[in-house]
Amino acid sequence: MQRKQPSDERARFTFDGTVVRCHGRWTVHHLAPVEDALAALRPAGDTALRFDLSEVTAFDTAGAWLLQRTLHRLGHGTQPADIQGASPQVRRLLSLLAPLGETPGTRPARPPRQPLQRLARTLTVRVSDILGFIAFVGEAALVALPLLLRPRRVRWKSIVQNLAQAGYQALPIVGLLSFLIGVVIAYQGGIQLRQYGANIYIADLVGLSLLRELAPMMTAIIVAGRTGAAYTAEIGTMRVTEEIDALRAIGIEPMEILVLPKLIALMVALPLLTVFADVMGLLGGMVVAQGLLNVGATAFIDRVSIAVPLSSYLIGVGKAPVFAAIVAGVGCYRGLQVEESAESVGRQTTISVVQAIFLVIVVDALFSVIFSELGI
């Protein structure tokens, strides 16, 4: 059986039942005519099959892969396959592929990384990520400083739209969860206080824990899961659809039009949401105090005003802009890290929420330590 080709440069072979005589150039540009024919090649009877490469004029890695794949297939049958007439260079190329024991389309198994290698790789990725975020913060600062000198360039319409999304539309979920948190704290604490006849001190417990710590932190966590994730998904989708590249192409800085309006809006919205969370949390505690401990609303409010100093309230509200900067910064940064795939959008959104919540809790703990050392 002979395979005829229109040009002598094309790879071809002849087969007489026992020997496959290869001719022409067995390179990547000339292998198409023989690939399917080799896949259908079968030895005649029980005779051992041989490949004669003495008339091959050129041979590259693609030809070696094709021949190695054929040898691999035929060598695992009832009869072995062998090569003859190959030049030293061809034999050397085939010998490089033979130890891999694989065919094209498969990958060799990667050797398992040693613990130190895994640790070094993880540390490298984390350090690179931290440095990238620091560079992102620096770039945002450089873009923001000229805007402070020329407020007309600030995109107020975009800020108002983001303020409505991050603030007004978040009121129901923030209010509901804050109310329930106040209920839980008052109920759990009230059961213990009632045993000692210290019912009135439920106002101290609810007021201090909510206004100073829980309300700003829980509000930031809710906003991180709601608004921070939305920022990442929005900017990440724009990365996938190449809208950010289009903005740069027409001379618009993405940091100015996408990041800063979101950052400013959230830094305004989160303190207001925190005040709203304070009110709803105290309301929840007041309801439980009235029903469980017979502490009226007037007595509850009077005790809160005595037990909770103004400094504690201001500390709670003052944390909110810092938390807002963390949530907005992480959300926008992760959105800009999205690669050109939908899978990357989901992955970066998950990372954004996790990292924002983690940083909010860490920063809140640092605030607690610092204020404790300062005696505030």
Side-chain angles (χ1 to χ4, degrees):
M1 178 176 63
Q2 180 160 358
R3 311 293 181 185
K4 296 182 180 179
Q5 302 297 336
S7 172
D8 291 339
E9 293 297 315
R10 296 285 184 91
R12 63 188 188 280
F13 67 87
T14 58
F15 180 47
D16 59 8
T18 58
V19 179
V20 180
R21 302 185 185 279
C22 302
H23 309 273
R25 302 176 63 86
W26 284 58
T27 58
V28 65
H29 299 294
H30 303 88
L31 288 175
V34 299
E35 186 171 3
D36 294 336
L38 283 177
L41 190 65
R42 297 290 185 275
D46 296 332
T47 307
L49 194 61
R50 291 179 297 169
F51 282 81
D52 185 359
L53 306 183
S54 58
E55 298 185 20
V56 173
T57 59
F59 201 79
D60 66 0
T61 306
W65 269 123
L66 179 60
L67 187 57
Q68 188 67 33
R69 182 173 63 185
T70 306
L71 292 171
H72 181 78
R73 175 175 59 84
L74 297 176
H76 283 72
T78 57
Q79 294 295 333
D82 197 7
I83 296 177
Q84 64 182 20
S87 65
Q89 292 82 1
V90 172
R91 289 190 177 275
R92 189 177 302 113
L93 183 57
L94 291 172
S95 66
L96 292 175
L97 299 179
L100 298 179
E102 62 171 357
T103 59
T106 63
R107 295 181 178 179
R110 291 184 178 180
R113 291 193 180 98
Q114 298 300 321
L116 289 179
Q117 290 178 323
R118 292 196 296 269
L119 178 60
R121 181 177 178 83
T122 302
L123 289 177
T124 301
V125 172
R126 295 293 179 266
V127 170
S128 177
D129 201 30
I130 293 172
L131 293 178
F133 184 70
I134 294 173
F136 169 81
V137 173
E139 183 181 357
L142 290 176
V143 174
L145 288 177
L147 295 181
L148 296 178
L149 301 177
R150 286 182 283 181
R152 289 185 178 181
R153 292 185 54 190
V154 177
R155 300 179 181 273
W156 297 107
K157 183 178 180 180
S158 179
I159 292 175
V160 172
Q161 291 175 345
N162 282 281
L163 187 60
Q165 178 188 6
Y168 174 73
Q169 296 178 12
L171 287 175
I173 184 64
V174 171
L176 176 61
L177 292 180
S178 299
F179 179 85
L180 294 177
I181 290 172
V183 169
V184 170
I185 294 174
Y187 186 81
Q188 296 296 328
I191 293 176
Q192 304 302 320
L193 292 173
R194 187 171 57 182
Q195 298 177 7
Y196 301 96
N199 296 7
I200 191 62
Y201 290 106
I202 189 65
D204 301 53
L205 177 63
V206 175
L208 280 173
S209 59
L210 273 175
L211 272 62
R212 186 182 178 105
E213 293 294 338
L214 289 181
M217 186 175 68
M218 291 305 301
T219 304
I221 291 175
I222 295 169
V223 170
R226 181 186 179 277
T227 307
Y231 288 171
T232 304
E234 177 186 346
I235 296 177
T237 303
M238 295 180 69
R239 283 271 298 173
V240 173
T241 57
E242 299 182 352
E243 293 180 57
I244 292 181
D245 295 333
L247 290 174
R248 290 194 176 100
I250 61 177
I252 298 177
E253 177 59 45
M255 188 71 68
E256 179 180 338
I257 193 173
L258 295 177
V259 176
L260 289 182
K262 291 177 171 57
L263 179 62
I264 295 172
L266 196 59
M267 291 183 69
V268 173
L270 195 57
L272 299 177
L273 288 174
T274 300
V275 173
F276 181 66
D278 291 339
V279 174
M280 295 303 296
L282 290 176
L283 181 61
M286 189 186 306
V287 170
V288 175
Q290 175 70 40
L292 182 66
L293 303 175
N294 294 321
V295 176
T298 303
F300 186 92
I301 295 173
D302 290 341
R303 184 61 192 177
V304 167
S305 62
I306 297 172
V308 182
L310 180 62
S311 60
S312 295
Y313 171 74
L314 294 178
I315 285 173
V317 176
K319 293 177 183 178
V322 180
F323 294 161
I326 292 173
V327 172
V330 172
C332 295
Y333 172 70
R334 284 298 164 191
L336 293 172
Q337 295 302 304
V338 169
E339 300 172 354
E340 296 182 357
S341 68
E343 178 186 3
S344 181
V345 175
R347 183 171 63 253
Q348 293 296 338
T349 301
T350 302
I351 294 174
S352 168
V353 175
V354 173
Q355 288 186 347
I357 294 175
F358 173 77
L359 290 176
V360 164
I361 295 174
V362 170
V363 171
D364 186 66
L366 291 176
F367 275 135
S368 298
V369 173
I370 293 172
F371 292 145
S372 177
E373 291 296 327
L374 296 176
I376 302 177

